[in-house]
Amino acid sequence: MSTQFLGALGSSARSFNGFNVNAGDPTDVFRFSIGSTRNINLSLNNITSGDDADLRLFRDVNGNGVLDASDRAFGLVASSVRGGNADDSINLRANAGTYFAEVQRFAPGSNGAVFYDLDLSATTPTSTSDYSNLLPKEFVVGNLTSDVTRFGNINNNNTADVYSFSLGLFKGVNISLTGLSADADIRLIRDSNNNRIVDAGEEVARSIRGGNTSELISNINQSGNYYLQVDQFVGSTPYTVTFDQFNTIFA
């Protein structure tokens, strides 16, 4: 088991690209701390095709700075164990403390060394200027050729959901977030450098109305690949997100 010591994790994303876990060293651990209540965001992506790795988050329950049996028994905070090389992600509101993000090779689904990228950040709760800046492909909508509706839930244990989709030529979309019982927001991103992080200038549009008011981003009509983030502002709420696809008309 190899360990990376990151120190205090903040809003700026930290990236570890081209790392690998293998039969001789099946786990990598990334230790970090947060000094106050933060939204911890983890994205395990770019896993080798045909392989599998999983992602877990532990709290340092005994304060010794080492991921040990006690932490594994009593400190598991969250896990993402999606099959194959699908992205794994964790987004949750956490109290101050020391944490361990663990990447583990899933042997039955892997042939040898499993290469991966891991992105981490800790953003500010209830701040519309500091949403999660990571873009795991949690829900792949694909190329929009008709209307698409998806259902989800946002809460302290899942503070962000990310939908990836694309628009072809002469296609457009209106996106709505409805069915809210608490405050959640949406924003649309084009990852122009494909680094799976929201960089300056990559946000296309957002809707951040207060309370349980429905959100709307309308008239997106430029072809390309997009990510839609559904972000918790406060509370727990189910939601319905609708991609209303339309054909653009040129004179």
Side-chain angles (χ1 to χ4, degrees), residues 6-85:
L6 310 188
L9 189 63
S11 296
S12 297
R14 301 282 302 275
S15 297
F16 297 86
N17 299 329
F19 276 51
N20 78 87
V21 283
N22 52 67
D25 187 13
T27 61
D28 285 344
V29 175
F30 300 80
R31 191 185 79 183
F32 62 89
S33 63
I34 53 175
S36 60
T37 300
R38 307 282 284 180
N39 287 347
I40 295 175
N41 313 299
L42 307 176
S43 172
L44 179 66
N45 56 82
N46 202 25
I47 300 168
T48 317
S49 178
D51 287 323
D52 191 3
D54 297 324
L55 180 63
R56 294 177 176 85
L57 180 67
F58 298 90
R59 186 181 176 95
D60 185 7
V61 295
N62 54 22
N64 67 355
V66 177
L67 178 57
D68 55 23
S70 178
D71 301 320
R72 293 186 182 280
F74 304 107
L76 180 64
V77 177
S79 62
S80 178
V81 292
R82 300 178 71 185
N85 71 329

Side-chain angles (χ1 to χ4, degrees), residues 95-190:
N95 294 325
T98 297
Y99 293 84
F100 306 97
E102 180 188 63
V103 178
Q104 184 175 51
R105 176 178 179 262
F106 182 69
S110 301
N111 298 312
V114 181
F115 287 85
Y116 67 87
D117 296 343
L118 179 68
D119 304 314
L120 312 90
S121 68
T123 49
T124 308
T126 65
S127 171
T128 57
S129 62
D130 199 21
Y131 287 128
S132 171
N133 46 7
L134 309 186
L135 297 172
K137 291 184 177 180
E138 295 180 284
F139 305 100
V140 180
V141 177
N143 184 45
L144 285 181
T145 57
S146 61
D147 296 350
V148 173
T149 299
R150 295 287 187 268
F151 304 94
N153 193 287
I154 290 294
N155 51 61
N156 284 352
N157 294 317
N158 179 43
T159 58
D161 281 341
V162 180
Y163 295 81
S164 63
F165 70 95
S166 62
L167 289 176
L169 292 173
F170 313 118
K171 302 292 184 181
V173 66
N174 300 314
I175 304 169
S176 62
L177 186 73
T178 60
L180 301 176
S181 58
D183 196 349
D185 302 315
I186 52 175
R187 64 176 186 159
L188 188 65
I189 295 131
R190 292 195 70 169

